[in-house]
Amino acid sequence: MERITIDPITRLEGHGKIDIFLNEEGDVANTYFQIPELRGFERFCVGRPVEEMPVLTNRICGVCPEAHHMAAAKAGDAVYGVEPTSAAKKLRELLYMGFYFTDHTTHFYALGGPDFVMGPDAPVAQRNILGVIHKVGLEIGGKVIQARKYGHTVVEMLGGRKVHPCTSIPGGVTKGLTEAERQEIEKMGRWGIEFAQFSLQLFSDLVMGNPYYVDLILGDIYTHKTHYMGMVDENNHVNFYDGKVSIVDPDGKRLGKYAPADYTDWIAEHVEPWTYLKFPYLKNVGWKGFTDGNDSGVYMATPLSRLNASDGMATPLAQERYEQFYDTLGGKPVHQRLATHWARLVELLYAAERLVELATDEEITSDKLHNVPTQTPTEGVGIVEAPRGTLTHHYWTDERGILTKVNLIVGTTNNYAPITMSIKKAAKSLIKKGTVVNEGLLNMVEMAFRAYDPCFGCATHSLPGQMPLQVTIRNNEGEVMDVLSQYVHPAFLCER
Amino acid sequence: MSEKPKFAMYWAASCGGCEIAVLNIGEKILDVDANFDVAFWPVAMDAKYKDVEEMPDKSILLTLFNGGIRNEENAHMAKLLRQKSQILVSFGSCATEGCVPGLANLSSREEVFAAAYDSITSDTLGIRPQYSYEVPEGTLTLPIFNTIVRTLDQVVDVDYYMPGCPPESHQIGAVIDLVIQVLHGQAELPPKGSVIGAGGSTVCDECGRIRNVKKITKFRRLHEVAEIDPVLCLLEQGILCNGPATRDGCGALCPAVGAPCAGCYGPAQDVVDYGARLMTAVSSVIDSNDPKEIDRILDDIVDPAGTFYRFNLAHSLLHASKTAVS
C-alpha cells in the first residue's frame, strides 16, 4: 500500500500530523489526523478549589480563555447550586460579547477572509491580513484594528486583564461597571454594529457577488451532511452564554435540547490509541467512524452549526441576516462548510447588537455583583458556546468544594471528527490514481480546515496568515517526496 | 545592506497566550520586523524544523521560548534552539516555572491518562495513547509523554527569564526596546541569568490597595465574601492573596478588580522557593499565638499545594511528588 503522508517533517515536530494512505489503485484508502500533545487539566485540577477554576482553566487556551473562564464560572455556580445576581450574569455576558466581537473579527479578516478577498489561487504571500488590507484599503484595515481593540477593551474592563480574565466566581463577579465605563462600552458597541454590517456587505460584494466563489462554497468538496449542535435560548434563538444545547440531524430536524447537566445523555467520546485527543459524537446515534449521514453520530459545533441548530437570532439586524443567509443558500440546514465564514459574520452582528443591549441595560451598573453560595457543593456542569464550538466543563467536588473529578469537552474537540472527514474529502478529490496535486492539496486542506476555525486564533494574528500545518508527501517506499509546511499548535485544537 | 540579526520564538507545551501577548504589543511588532530577520516563529511564519536544524550554531541572536517541557518533542526543540541561539530567553510562566500545567507533577502519568481517557464520556475504558501504533495501513507515532513537567532551564542553559502568565504586553515592549538599543550600541545587556521584563519587588508594592498591617483570624475563600472592600488589602480581608511573594511587573491587575494575585509573575527577587516565601508571609498575618487556633486558621487554606505552588511547582524545591516520578 502506498503511503502519502501529510505529516510533520520529523516525528518530533508534532504540531498536527496527517497521514493519508493510498490503496493499490492509488486512491485514498484512509486518513489519520493526530493531535500529538496533552497537558492533563482533567487530572491536575483535581484537588483545587472550585472557585479557582475560572482562573486555572483559562490556561487551557490563551486564544479563548474567556470561554473557559465562563464555562468554569457557570460550572462553579452549578456545583454550589447558586444563581448569580442578575447583574452579574449580564456583566459576564457583556464581557463575553466583547470577546466574541474581537474573535470573530480576527477570524474573518485575518484567517478565513483572505482566501476569499485575495482569492484561493492568490500566492500564499498575499493571502494574509496585510494582503487584505492592501486590497480593500488602509481605511478598512484601520477599522479591523479598531474592532479588535474595542473587543479587547471590553474584556479588559470587565475581566481585569487582556489575557486570562480573573473576575468570575461562583455566584457572580468581583468587578462591576461604572457609568463612565458603561458609556464607553455602549459607544464601542454602536460602532461595532456598523462595523459588522459593513463586514456582511463586504462579504456579499466580494464573495456572493462572484460566481466562482459561490460555486466554491456550494460545491460538493466542502460539504458534509452531519448533525449540528448549538446553544439556544428559550425561543430557540442562538445564545453564546446561556441556555440549552440544541441538536439537529442532517435533515434539520431537531432531535432535542439538553440542559448542561444532561450532557452525558447526549454526548460520548470515542477513544483511539493513535492520538492524544478524543472524538466526541452523539451517544444515541452512535460512533460509526468518520462518516456523514443520519446514522453517524458525528456532529459539528461551529458558527454554521449554531445557526443550523437554532430557529433564529435574538436581535433584529442579525435576524434579518440570518433569514438572508438561508434564503440565499437554499434553506436549512446548510451543509457547506465554507458558509461558516458567512455564518460567523451573522454572529458578529449579533454579538455587537447584544453588547449594546447589555450596555444599555439599567441593571448593568448595579453593585449587586455576587450571591454568596449557601448550599453544600457537589457536582455541576457549565456550558457556553466558545467561538469554535460548544464548551462543556463538568466538576465533582467534596463538601468543601475541592475538586474530586473533572471532565472537559472543549470547543474544537467537538469538530475533531468532522475536520478529519474534511481532510479526507479534500485529499480524495485531489489524489487520484496516485497523482498528487501538491499545491492544490495544501490549499484545499487549508480551506477545509479554516472553515472550522480550529482555534487558530493565534495563527489568525499572524502576519502571513497561514494555516499552521505540515504536509509531507511520501512515496510507497516511505521516502519523503515533498514537504509543504504550515503549523498547527495543539492548544489551538483544544488539546487540554 | 547588512544582514539583520535573527529572531525566533517558539511554543512548547503552552496555551498560546504568550504569543497573543507578543502580538498585542501592536505597532512595536513592526520594530521587531525592522530590526530583526524573523528566522523561526511558528505562529507568524512558515518555516520548518529542518530549516532550524540546518542553521549554523548560534546563528539566531534572540530566541523567546515559551511553554513547558511536557513531552519529548518539547525537549528536542529546547535543545535545538539552545544550540542555534546566542541568547535564549525563558519566556512566560510555563517555560520559567511550569505554570498551572506544572501541577501535573503531583500526579503520575497513568493518573493523567486515566483522567483524560477513562472519563465519564469515554466510550471505551483503558485505551492509552501509544507512542507507536500499528493501524491496518501502517505505523502511526506520537511524542513520548514524560513523567513530569520540566522548566526550560531544567533541560538547557537559559540566558534570561521573563515571567508572567502571560508576560504583560508593555513589559514585552520594554524588553524589545532594550534589545534594539543594545543592537545599536546604546545599551548593554543585563547579566546572564537576570529576570527581565519585570520589577525587583513584589506585587504588593505596586498594588493600589491600602495596607494597615492588620492581623487576621480567619481565611475566607473568594466566593464566600459577600462584598469585597474595594480599597482595603485583600489579605487583610482574609482573602489569600499571593502578592507578598510574587514579583511585581504586571501592575497588580488582579487585586485591582477584586481578585487575589494568583502568583503568575513567579517568585519575587531573591526568593529561592516561592511557596516557602508565601507561607512565611501568610503566617505573619495570623493573629494568634495559640497552636490550636493557628491550626484551625490554617485549615481554612483548603489547597495548600495549589495555593502555594499554583504557578511554580515544577521549578520549586519540591519539583514533583513521589507519585509522579515513581
Side-chain angles (χ1 to χ4, degrees):
Chain A
M1 180 172 291
E2 189 175 0
R3 174 175 182 162
I4 291 180
T5 308
I6 301 183
D7 184 19
I9 185 161
T10 71
R11 293 269 173 239
L12 289 165
E13 197 149 344
H15 295 234
K17 288 174 51 168
I18 299 165
D19 282 74
I20 300 172
F21 293 95
L22 303 191
N23 58 22
E24 285 171 6
E25 287 77 43
D27 295 325
V28 174
N30 208 352
T31 58
Y32 294 88
F33 175 33
Q34 296 173 273
I35 301 302
E37 202 167 281
L38 174 79
R39 283 169 294 163
F41 274 82
E42 284 148 321
R43 173 60 199 179
F44 60 72
C45 288
V46 168
R48 313 283 82 82
V50 69
E51 71 273 18
E52 288 193 15
M53 289 299 271
V55 166
L56 298 176
T57 58
N58 275 348
R59 271 74 189 184
I60 291 173
C61 180
V63 181
C64 54
E66 294 85 355
H68 289 286
H69 191 72
M70 292 303 161
K74 290 180 71 185
D77 299 338
V79 160
Y80 277 102
V82 61
E83 186 75 8
T85 64
S86 175
K89 282 193 274 190
K90 288 172 184 171
L91 286 162
R92 285 186 192 168
E93 191 180 351
L94 181 58
L95 185 163
Y96 208 44
M97 292 308 105
F99 160 60
Y100 254 84
F101 189 73
T102 286
D103 199 89
H104 274 10
T105 297
T106 304
H107 185 278
F108 178 71
Y109 284 96
L111 187 58
D115 283 336
F116 291 107
V117 179
M118 305 310 296
D121 303 327
V124 171
Q126 287 172 24
R127 275 185 287 128
N128 58 53
I129 181 68
L130 295 178
V132 171
I133 290 172
H134 188 72
K135 180 155 176 181
V136 299
L138 271 178
E139 192 200 346
I140 295 175
K143 278 188 184 183
V144 174
I145 290 164
Q146 184 81 312
R148 293 196 60 244
K149 194 177 159 199
Y150 277 177
H152 278 308
T153 303
V154 174
V155 169
E156 194 174 6
M157 216 179 253
L158 289 161
R161 301 160 54 107
K162 289 187 198 73
V163 181
H164 300 326
C166 63
T167 51
S168 295
I169 51 172
V173 295
T174 64
K175 165 77 166 65
L177 209 55
T178 65
E179 175 56 23
E181 288 172 328
R182 188 205 67 74
Q183 286 178 17
E184 196 184 337
I185 291 178
E186 184 187 343
K187 206 174 86 185
M188 293 189 290
R190 291 197 188 283
W191 183 92
I193 293 174
E194 296 301 315
F195 175 79
Q197 288 183 294
F198 161 82
S199 302
L200 280 153
Q201 192 58 47
L202 191 72
F203 188 87
S204 183
D205 295 346
L206 282 177
V207 181
M208 297 316 287
N210 182 330
Y212 172 66
Y213 291 159
V214 172
D215 284 351
L216 195 65
I217 286 180
L218 297 180
D220 178 63
I221 196 166
Y222 297 112
T223 300
H224 288 285
K225 290 181 178 167
T226 60
H227 292 78
Y228 299 100
M229 171 188 285
M231 192 182 272
V232 294
D233 64 15
E234 62 277 10
N235 300 315
N236 293 330
H237 291 148
V238 170
N239 196 293
F240 300 146
Y241 173 73
D242 206 10
K244 288 185 173 177
V245 179
S246 164
I247 307 283
V248 297
D249 73 10
D251 302 322
K253 185 178 147 231
R254 182 166 288 127
L255 298 184
K257 293 193 286 182
Y258 64 82
D262 300 327
Y263 83 104
T264 54
D265 294 341
W266 288 80
I267 307 300
E269 294 179 286
H270 179 68
V271 196
E272 285 285 352
W274 46 264
T275 176
Y276 280 112
L277 203 64
K278 296 187 283 187
F279 298 92
Y281 62 93
L282 297 175
K283 193 175 182 175
N284 295 327
V285 185
W287 175 257
K288 308 283 162 56
F290 301 100
T291 177
D292 318 31
N294 293 51
D295 296 333
S296 167
V298 170
Y299 65 88
M300 187 174 88
T302 65
L304 176 62
S305 310
R306 285 190 285 262
L307 265 52
N308 279 341
S310 75
D311 294 347
M313 308 302 288
T315 55
L317 296 174
Q319 174 61 21
E320 280 178 30
R321 298 295 184 159
Y322 178 96
E323 289 166 16
Q324 189 190 359
F325 177 83
Y326 286 109
D327 287 347
T328 309
L329 296 175
K332 254 192 334 188
V334 166
H335 296 296
Q336 289 83 2
R337 272 25 180 176
L338 294 188
T340 307
H341 298 297
W342 188 357
R344 188 172 287 114
L345 292 178
V346 176
E347 288 195 338
L348 178 72
L349 180 55
Y350 165 70
E353 285 187 283
R354 183 66 185 142
L355 194 141
V356 171
E357 276 182 8
L358 289 161
T360 52
D361 190 296
E362 278 184 7
E363 216 179 15
I364 204 75
T365 50
S366 162
D367 57 3
K368 292 189 174 48
L369 301 178
H370 181 219
N371 283 328
V372 174
T374 53
Q375 294 181 28
T376 305
T378 53
E379 181 186 345
V381 180
I383 296 186
V384 295
E385 283 295 327
R388 295 150 191 89
T390 310
L391 171 62
T392 305
H393 282 212
H394 186 183
Y395 306 154
W396 293 258
T397 73
D398 66 12
E399 71 289 350
R400 295 214 293 175
I402 306 302
L403 287 151
T404 54
K405 195 158 78 165
V406 174
N407 193 37
L408 307 169
I409 300 178
V410 179
T412 293
T413 308
N414 293 291
N415 300 316
Y416 189 15
I419 289 172
T420 302
M421 287 156 52
S422 290
I423 290 164
K424 188 171 179 176
K425 199 159 188 177
K428 276 191 162 177
S429 71
L430 285 150
I431 301 170
K432 290 205 163 78
K433 307 282 173 227
T435 306
V436 181
V437 186
N438 290 357
E439 188 59 28
L441 178 68
L442 183 64
N443 281 351
M444 301 287 254
V445 170
E446 265 189 61
M447 285 183 70
F449 252 72
R450 276 182 181 154
Y452 294 91
D453 182 18
C455 207
F456 294 156
C458 247
T460 71
H461 295 245
S462 69
L463 296 177
Q466 291 182 3
M467 229 285 308
L469 184 72
Q470 287 244 349
V471 181
T472 302
I473 317 284
R474 293 176 194 222
N475 65 15
N476 56 357
E477 305 292 316
E479 294 162 340
V480 175
M481 294 163 68
D482 200 358
V483 180
L484 306 159
S485 171
Q486 311 264 356
Y487 279 81
V488 169
H489 186 255
F492 302 154
L493 291 150
C494 295
E495 168 271 315
R496 67 230 181 274
Chain B
M1 203 177 92
S2 64
E3 206 172 292
K4 288 189 284 189
K6 288 185 166 51
F7 168 88
M9 184 161 183
Y10 185 72
W11 44 24
S14 67
C15 75
C18 284
E19 317 289 328
I20 297 280
V22 171
L23 293 160
N24 279 351
I25 64 176
E27 68 276 7
K28 262 200 206 308
I29 204 84
L30 299 176
D31 293 347
V32 176
D33 187 51
N35 286 279
F36 287 94
D37 167 20
V38 181
F40 182 62
W41 190 5
V43 74
M45 65 169 298
D46 177 15
K48 307 172 188 74
Y49 279 13
K50 205 176 96 189
D51 298 340
V52 180
E53 279 159 7
E54 286 170 358
M55 289 176 194
D57 288 358
K58 306 292 174 200
S59 61
I60 302 170
L61 178 67
L62 176 68
T63 294
L64 306 181
F65 190 105
N66 72 79
I69 310 301
R70 174 72 271 187
N71 65 29
E72 273 308 301
E73 181 203 353
N74 305 146
H76 171 78
M77 282 309 289
K79 288 169 190 161
L80 181 64
L81 285 166
R82 171 68 281 180
Q83 189 187 338
K84 303 298 177 185
S85 309
Q86 290 177 43
I87 302 169
L88 180 67
V89 178
S90 174
F91 189 91
S93 178
C94 283
T96 306
E97 299 179 274
C99 193
V100 171
L103 290 170
N105 286 4
L106 297 172
S107 304
S108 70
R109 176 162 48 191
E110 170 53 24
E111 284 171 329
V112 171
F113 283 174
Y117 304 111
D118 296 347
S119 83
I120 188 170
T121 35
S122 298
D123 63 1
T124 320
L125 302 184
I127 295 181
R128 299 290 178 265
Q130 302 297 310
Y131 305 130
S132 178
Y133 185 75
E134 296 299 323
V135 292
E137 299 86 359
T139 308
L140 298 176
T141 61
L142 289 170
I144 292 168
F145 186 90
N146 291 325
T147 48
I148 53 169
V149 175
R150 287 173 294 169
T151 60
L152 182 61
D153 69 356
Q154 288 165 352
V155 177
V156 295
D157 188 40
V158 164
D159 296 301
Y160 299 107
Y161 299 88
M162 191 153 175
C165 180
E168 282 297 312
S169 294
H170 73 280
Q171 295 284 12
I172 299 168
V175 166
I176 286 168
D177 284 345
L178 171 70
V179 173
I180 290 170
Q181 283 171 11
V182 171
L183 283 179
H184 296 179
Q186 295 156 348
E188 283 188 17
L189 284 171
K192 185 179 154 134
S194 297
V195 173
I196 56 174
S201 183
T202 68
V203 169
C204 292
D205 287 338
E206 59 179 354
C207 180
R209 289 178 174 270
I210 296 164
R211 271 185 293 173
N212 304 306
V213 204
K214 199 189 137 204
K215 301 263 185 169
I216 60 161
T217 54
K218 180 169 178 51
F219 286 108
R220 298 187 299 169
R221 289 161 69 182
L222 193 59
H223 64 287
E224 295 171 351
V225 183
E227 275 191 41
I228 299 158
D229 187 301
V231 294
L232 184 65
C233 166
L234 292 171
L235 202 51
E236 290 183 23
Q237 298 182 54
I239 298 164
L240 212 160
C241 180
N242 287 23
T246 305
R247 186 181 287 273
D248 62 324
C250 60
L253 295 171
C254 297
V257 292
C261 169
C264 79
Y265 257 68
Q269 189 78 35
D270 300 327
V271 169
V272 176
D273 188 89
Y274 179 92
R277 168 60 65 94
L278 185 59
M279 279 181 239
T280 308
V282 165
S283 306
S284 70
V285 299
I286 293 173
D287 188 15
S288 176
N289 291 317
D290 173 9
K292 277 187 182 164
E293 196 190 7
I294 291 172
D295 278 351
R296 184 190 56 73
I297 294 170
L298 288 176
D299 276 349
D300 291 333
I301 301 173
V302 292
D303 174 24
T307 303
F308 295 116
Y309 293 99
R310 190 180 289 119
F311 283 86
N312 43 58
L313 180 66
H315 204 258
S316 69
L317 296 175
L318 300 171
H319 188 44
S321 69
K322 279 187 177 170
T323 319
V325 293
S326 64

